[in-house]
Amino acid sequence: MASEFKKKMFWRAVVAEFLAMILFIFISIGSALGFNFPISANKTTTPTQDNVKVSLAFGLSIATMAQSIGHVSGAHLNPAVTLGLLLSCQISIFRAIMYIIAQCLGAIVATAILSGVTSSLDGNSLGLNALAPGVNAGQGLGIEIIATLQLVLCVLATTDRRRTDVSGSAPLAIGLSVALGHLLAIDYTGCGINPARSFGSAVITGIFTNHWIFWVGPIIGGAGAALIYDFILAPRSSDVTDRMKVWTSGQVEEYDLDADDSRVEMKPK
């Protein structure tokens, strides 16, 4: 932990997660709220939210941020992704904790800014996740688990440095996975799959009804994806000692802990 704590690049990575989270949340939730604004002088019809538009906004914003800061922090932008990479022994426990704090703070700041920008909206929910009518807590939890599992599984598989068969853009693949999760889950839970994103809206609105679903679901999904990938689909040969070394000091193969350029790149090696 001490070795990472002293590195400037480590703190740059934490700041990158914070700033990128602000942009991601502002753009994606902003697109979801946009349908509430009058789109014409004719107000005889009420506009409805376009799920495809919102899904693409979330997916493309993640892809853009991953391309922008992937070489600095790895562009996790999601506590569930960070947890998956932690359990996959790709980052240290200290880095995971700092990333999650930065992600949550970034989400709160972005939602607060968005609250000011959209203050004219009546009953502004600020993208608050909630169960749809007819969907109970267990069903919503299941949706969140599956939607998050496919995302984290995509991240692990796309960024696996052992693979030589991956071509194309890893950020775009991950962005499409985010969009896919939203296409599935928006109608059921509003699509959390990102505890920090859900937390920001809950904090600013002060509404925490069923909020636990949007933490427990993504955590189970992210952890499940890491276990499935690392122990079933593509088992790793590292033993317990190697894993403990990564959790305490960082990934030896990924981070040069004696230099000041440690990073996690969001692309296959």
Side-chain angles (χ1 to χ4, degrees):
M1 183 181 75
S3 57
E4 285 191 310
F5 183 84
K6 297 176 182 178
K7 300 296 182 181
K8 291 181 181 178
M9 196 61 204
F10 170 78
W11 293 108
R12 286 178 191 157
V14 174
V15 171
E17 287 287 311
F18 172 72
L19 295 177
M21 197 70 182
I22 292 176
L23 292 174
F24 162 56
I25 295 298
F26 186 87
I27 293 170
S28 55
I29 295 183
S31 73
L33 296 177
F35 81 99
N36 284 312
F37 286 96
I39 56 177
S40 68
N42 181 10
K43 298 182 181 180
T44 58
T45 59
T46 302
T48 57
Q49 179 172 278
D50 185 341
N51 286 357
V52 174
K53 168 197 167 187
V54 175
S55 299
L56 287 176
F58 272 89
L60 292 176
S61 58
I62 279 290
T64 301
M65 291 301 103
Q67 192 69 53
S68 301
I69 69 161
H71 62 294
V72 180
S73 69
H76 297 188
L77 304 178
N78 186 336
V81 171
T82 299
L83 175 63
L85 292 173
L86 173 65
L87 295 179
S88 186
C89 291
Q90 298 187 44
I91 59 173
S92 68
I93 295 175
F94 180 60
R95 181 178 289 261
I97 292 172
M98 294 306 300
Y99 273 19
I100 292 173
I101 292 174
Q103 292 157 5
C104 289
L105 291 177
I108 292 172
V109 171
T111 310
I113 297 172
L114 198 59
S115 175
V117 172
T118 61
S119 59
S120 61
L121 294 180
D122 294 328
N124 190 356
S125 66
L126 294 173
L128 182 71
N129 290 120
L131 298 176
V135 177
N136 62 38
Q139 293 167 336
L141 182 66
I143 290 290
E144 289 293 311
I145 290 173
I146 297 300
T148 308
L149 189 147
Q150 64 84 27
L151 167 60
V152 178
L153 191 64
C154 177
V155 172
L156 293 173
T158 306
T159 61
D160 190 343
R161 295 169 184 271
R162 298 170 295 171
R163 295 183 64 179
T164 59
D165 61 318
V166 179
S167 60
S169 171
L172 180 58
I174 294 167
L176 290 175
S177 180
V178 171
L180 179 63
H182 280 76
L183 288 170
L184 162 69
I186 283 179
D187 289 331
Y188 298 94
T189 64
C191 191
I193 71 173
N194 186 330
R197 167 260 189 274
S198 302
F199 184 66
S201 297
V203 168
I204 300 302
T205 60
I207 301 174
F208 288 89
T209 304
N210 292 319
H211 183 66
W212 65 271
I213 293 173
F214 305 104
W215 280 91
V216 175
I219 286 174
I220 294 175
L227 295 176
I228 290 171
Y229 189 78
D230 271 12
F231 293 97
I232 299 177
L233 300 180
R236 296 178 184 271
S237 59
S238 56
D239 56 24
V240 176
T241 302
D242 292 332
R243 288 176 176 269
M244 290 301 296
K245 185 183 295 184
V246 172
W247 284 335
T248 56
S249 302
Q251 178 64 280
V252 176
E253 290 79 7
E254 289 186 42
Y255 309 117
D256 179 3
L257 299 179
D258 295 325
D260 196 26
D261 62 348
S262 59
R263 65 191 65 182
V264 186
E265 298 191 19
M266 186 67 78
K267 62 183 181 181
K269 291 291 187 182

